[in-house]
Amino acid sequence: MRALSKDTWKILRSCLQWVFLIGLCVFIVQLFIERGRPPQFDRESWTQRDGFTAISYGSLTRDEKPGLNSRQQFAEHVAAIEKAGYQWITSDDVISFYRDGEPLPEKALYLMMEGGRKDSVIFGQEIMGKTGVHASLFTTTTSLKSWNNFFVTKSNVAALAKSPFWDVGSQGRGLLPINENMPKVTPGYFLTDFLRDSTGLPAETEEQMRDRLAAYYKESFEPLAKLMPEPPKAFVMMPANSFNGSMPHAVKEANRDLVQQYFQMAFSREGAAFNSAVDDRFALTRLQIKPDWTEQHLMEVLSLRTAKRTRFSLAEGDTADSWVSFRTRVEASGQDIVLTPQEGRADPVILRGSNLWDNVSLSMTIAQKENVDRYVYLRYATPSAFLRVTLHGARLLVQERVPGQGLYTIADETISIQPPWRFDILLKGNRLKVLLDGKALGPGFLPVSPTLRLGAVALGTDDVEGFEGRFGSLNIVRIPSLWRIESTGNVSSGSVAPAMAQEVTACVVPLAARTSGSSDAERVSRQVLRARAEGSMTIAALAPGNLVLDDSMLLIAPFSIEQSRRLWDGIMVQPLAQSSWKDVAATLKAIAAAGYRPVVRLTREAAAALAASDITLPAEHYLLDFTRAEIPGSLWTPLAHRHNRNNFLYATAEKGVLYAAGGN
């Protein structure tokens, strides 16, 4: 047998060393993936349906390096996050929250590791395993190899996908520039624009653009899906904050269709940490953690960007930082909030902590007339769901946009006096009123779409570079929900209750009994018309135990049945403890199908029976004949786990008359 030459031995020895190192690295990564105490999730105790916080790290280096997150920083942040009471959630939890209405834990936090770096896994797992932290790793599919010294490999992904500590999501094919080196063309990115020629015109048809993007999304999904027991559910769009006015509509729609075809949730925005219940799960936002942030600074930022609020006023110490902006600069100048579009691009700037507001009082001063649109948004949920007051010159429009429909103008008024103008805007239930210098514009309270239930307060301007949209002396207050049950006697409940009429957001009117005389029918008519004049919602109350919905019961003299239907906003059922909860649920579904808000009123005995039934009632509001303190946690938790506690209205000191939100 011929001996191997010296050079051959060197080559063989080098190969063996490489095989050993690769095997050792795989072993170490596998070891770290499984190391530590797995995360624990007590999902049956979750009752929170406001939303969740998402934060992201781009790296976890062994030692501190300029421009990179380190493992020391991450360890300090994790300790501070857990001390502050945040609780970890998974991608499945986020999807179930938006798709199925399932609850989340208090201070829910979704932890992301972007970039697919191997150090994020090795050093992250070491820290995460100590207390049972859960994270989602996002990797580009272009970096997936059988061996890679820097990024996670195919075998790493396969192992991570089985780990209780990790979810694996896609970051697409990375950041791919297009339309570069053309003097007359603004450079873009693969997902954000058409391919263009040297003159700036599209060099591809819409169909070709769609095919190009379809190939991108397929290549962002399939390489990971082949390695995982379940395909990836979450996607990160690159670059962040691309869905704005500068993206061509056809490109935007193609992205929306394709991301929903392949994934179940997507992050397209960065800068804000909180995602509310009304946000789009395919346009989520996260906060990318800067390498120089201490744990104290992180807590301050999270507190600012996720805190709930009940009002805004510069005069009371609020600042321009109270507004979330992606493409518009927001500044405070004296008592003015000033919006300036950047590079001719504008988007609504959203009041932090107002995402789930329903009823709002807003006042402002407009110092001068401008022929550029200025907008005040109410119940802003998405770019296709909002109420809006538009001011253009001396023209004021009240508009609404409902998903699947275009922009609809509710009122169009011309202001005859010269500025300055003082506006007061009041939104209660399905009614909106705009006052100019104390006088109502138009007929007073205007009907708005009942499908627009919750959303943020936002400001905006038209896309005019250099324009400064000024909103002076802004005072914004959330009006808490306060419901009043009207009396069935001759004495008005309004004289019994201490609440002023403008504070009541809904009036519940007991329907006239079939055997009652004309005086009872007159009472119903009087109470309904008074409530509508006050801007309150009107809720028809079926008799206790009655689960039969009959249109003739909704008739209000002297109106026809068709006119009467339009005077009611909702219908309330009052089940007994022995009622069939399946029948109650069916009645509430029928009420919603008929176009009314389904409401249920529960005594303590009925609430206990409902909690024991394991049935979920599809109501939008729950009037509870007890205070929060009068119901034990063992009863309240299953009720709030299955039903949205944000819609609970508890009895006040005026039991049987006034019901108020809060106390959860």
Side-chain angles (χ1 to χ4, degrees):
M1 183 176 179
R2 199 170 83 182
L4 296 175
S5 68
K6 188 176 181 180
D7 290 340
T8 304
W9 270 114
K10 286 182 178 179
I11 294 171
L12 181 60
R13 184 174 61 190
S14 296
C15 291
L16 289 172
Q17 288 173 338
W18 273 107
V19 170
F20 174 76
L21 288 172
I22 292 171
L24 180 63
C25 287
V26 170
F27 172 75
I28 291 173
V29 172
Q30 299 285 84
L31 178 67
F32 273 106
I33 288 173
E34 298 301 330
R35 185 177 177 181
R37 188 180 78 190
Q40 302 294 317
F41 305 101
D42 184 15
R43 292 186 171 90
E44 287 300 311
S45 69
W46 293 358
T47 65
Q48 184 265 123
R49 287 180 171 86
D50 292 344
F52 70 97
T53 297
I55 63 174
S56 169
Y57 292 82
S59 63
L60 291 183
T61 59
R62 179 189 298 273
D63 302 308
E64 292 185 5
K65 294 183 179 179
L68 295 174
N69 302 110
S70 69
R71 62 175 176 173
Q72 292 93 332
Q73 180 196 39
F74 181 64
E76 292 167 354
H77 285 188
V78 165
I81 287 168
E82 293 188 326
K83 183 179 179 181
Y86 287 92
Q87 300 183 62
W88 315 105
I89 57 173
T90 69
S91 299
D92 281 335
D93 294 327
V94 174
I95 294 164
S96 296
F97 173 65
Y98 283 108
R99 185 188 62 198
D100 307 321
E102 292 295 320
L104 295 171
E106 302 301 315
K107 302 182 79 169
L109 192 142
Y110 185 79
L111 176 61
M112 304 168 65
M113 301 287 185
E114 293 188 56
R117 290 171 59 113
K118 196 172 286 186
D119 58 8
S120 297
V121 176
I122 295 175
F123 300 131
Q125 180 68 51
E126 179 183 5
I127 296 160
M128 292 160 56
K130 293 179 180 178
T131 56
V133 177
H134 188 278
S136 296
L137 180 79
F138 288 86
T139 182
T140 63
T141 54
T142 51
S143 65
L144 277 180
K145 311 292 181 185
S146 297
W147 165 249
N148 195 310
N149 192 44
F150 193 74
F151 298 105
V152 292
T153 63
K154 293 180 178 180
S155 62
N156 297 153
V157 167
L160 285 166
K162 298 175 183 177
S163 169
F165 294 93
W166 296 91
D167 290 337
V168 179
S170 174
Q171 209 160 353
R173 298 181 58 223
L175 199 59
L176 305 179
I178 59 172
N179 302 329
E180 293 185 297
N181 303 318
M182 291 187 283
K184 297 182 179 180
V185 181
T186 302
Y189 295 95
F190 199 89
L191 295 180
T192 66
D193 200 0
F194 285 94
L195 297 178
R196 298 187 180 275
D197 61 24
S198 58
T199 67
L201 295 175
E204 59 184 352
T205 64
E206 286 192 14
E207 184 178 357
Q208 290 170 330
M209 174 273 295
R210 215 169 236 281
D211 289 343
R212 175 170 60 85
L213 267 59
Y216 178 100
Y217 279 98
K218 182 178 181 181
E219 292 165 12
S220 302
F221 175 83
E222 289 189 347
L224 288 171
K226 292 176 181 177
L227 302 170
M228 301 164 60
E230 294 183 1
K233 298 174 181 177
F235 177 73
V236 169
M237 181 178 182
M238 299 177 69
N241 305 331
S242 298
F243 277 104
N244 54 66
S246 65
M247 181 183 286
H249 178 75
V251 177
K252 188 180 296 184
E253 290 303 304
N255 273 292
R256 289 191 190 281
D257 293 344
L258 290 164
V259 74
Q260 294 182 42
Q261 177 181 333
Y262 284 99
F263 300 97
Q264 297 184 50
M265 58 183 281
F267 289 85
S268 64
R269 296 178 291 149
E270 189 281 324
F274 187 70
N275 296 277
S276 76
V278 298
D279 285 331
D280 183 350
R281 66 181 159 111
F282 294 99
L284 299 172
T285 180
R286 78 281 193 193
L287 180 66
Q288 293 177 332
I289 305 303
K290 302 294 189 292
D292 60 346
W293 284 6
T294 64
E295 66 271 27
Q296 180 180 357
H297 182 70
L298 173 63
M299 290 298 101
E300 290 173 354
V301 171
L302 291 184
S303 176
L304 169 68
R305 303 194 182 192
T306 62
K308 295 182 183 179
R309 67 167 65 240
T310 58
R311 64 184 307 120
F312 170 85
S313 172
L314 289 175
E316 296 186 12
D318 289 310
T319 68
D321 287 337
S322 298
W323 300 86
V324 181
S325 172
F326 295 103
R327 292 281 182 178
T328 302
R329 188 170 70 242
V330 187
E331 297 172 302
S333 175
Q335 291 302 305
D336 291 355
I337 288 292
V338 184
L339 309 186
T340 307
Q342 298 300 289
E343 299 177 355
R345 302 173 185 176
D347 56 358
V349 299
I350 296 172
L351 180 62
R352 297 186 192 275
S354 70
N355 304 69
L356 299 179
W357 283 15
D358 44 8
N359 306 307
V360 182
S361 171
L362 181 150
S363 60
M364 65 178 181
T365 298
I366 299 297
Q368 59 186 26
K369 184 163 52 176
E370 301 277 5
N371 288 322
V372 178
D373 287 350
R374 280 171 284 184
Y375 309 115
V376 173
Y377 294 89
L378 305 170
R379 296 182 185 167
Y380 182 92
T382 69
S384 59
F386 56 78
L387 294 170
R388 187 172 78 184
V389 176
T390 300
L391 185 64
H392 181 93
R395 187 183 180 195
L396 184 141
L397 300 97
V398 177
Q399 301 169 307
E400 65 181 17
R401 172 163 281 168
V402 177
Q405 302 179 22
L407 188 65
Y408 174 70
T409 298
I410 301 170
D412 187 346
E413 299 285 335
T414 299
I415 301 172
S416 58
I417 61 176
Q418 294 299 311
W421 297 317
R422 178 68 179 178
F423 290 102
D424 293 283
I425 302 171
L426 179 63
L427 174 62
K428 293 201 306 180
N430 301 341
R431 315 277 189 274
L432 175 70
K433 181 162 66 173
V434 180
L435 296 95
L436 172 61
D437 294 338
K439 296 182 180 179
L441 292 174
F445 278 104
L446 302 167
V448 298
S449 173
T451 61
L452 300 171
R453 303 289 169 85
L454 301 172
V457 174
L459 305 174
T461 69
D462 209 353
D463 302 343
V464 177
E465 187 171 358
F467 173 70
E468 292 186 347
R470 290 181 173 268
F471 301 81
S473 302
L474 268 172
N475 186 49
I476 308 171
V477 180
R478 180 181 186 178
I479 302 172
S481 292
L482 183 65
W483 287 40
R484 180 178 66 205
I485 295 184
E486 300 289 348
S487 169
T488 56
N490 293 325
V491 179
S492 168
S493 62
S495 64
V496 177
M500 298 293 289
Q502 59 265 32
E503 295 175 335
V504 174
T505 57
C507 292
V508 180
V509 178
L511 293 174
R514 292 181 182 277
T515 57
S516 63
S518 60
S519 62
D520 204 21
E522 290 172 359
R523 171 200 50 90
V524 171
S525 176
R526 184 172 60 252
Q527 291 172 344
V528 168
L529 295 178
R530 184 187 64 205
R532 292 185 67 87
E534 295 171 354
S536 301
M537 290 192 299
T538 49
I539 310 296
L542 300 181
N546 180 21
L547 301 178
V548 178
L549 181 61
D550 184 347
D551 258 8
S552 65
M553 300 167 65
L554 303 178
L555 184 64
I556 301 171
F559 304 102
S560 68
I561 187 62
E562 288 298 326
Q563 293 170 324
S564 296
R565 286 195 190 103
R566 291 195 289 269
L567 295 176
W568 295 105
D569 296 297
I571 300 175
M572 184 177 80
V573 298
Q574 304 179 73
L576 307 176
Q578 63 269 27
S579 295
S580 164
W581 294 105
K582 288 185 178 180
D583 290 346
V584 176
T587 300
L588 291 169
K589 287 181 180 178
I591 290 171
Y596 303 106
R597 292 187 184 221
V599 181
V600 63
R601 181 185 183 186
L602 299 172
T603 63
R604 183 169 176 173
E605 294 74 21
L610 173 60
S613 72
D614 218 24
I615 297 292
T616 299
L617 297 182
E620 290 190 19
H621 305 277
Y622 305 81
L623 270 64
L624 307 178
D625 283 340
F626 44 83
T627 66
R628 174 66 182 88
E630 292 173 339
I631 180 171
S634 59
L635 176 56
W636 183 85
T637 298
L639 282 176
H641 176 73
R642 299 204 307 268
H643 306 90
N644 191 341
R645 71 186 192 191
N646 294 330
N647 297 330
F648 288 2
L649 293 138
Y650 297 94
T652 66
E654 293 287 338
K655 286 195 173 183
V657 177
L658 289 178
Y659 295 77
N664 291 319

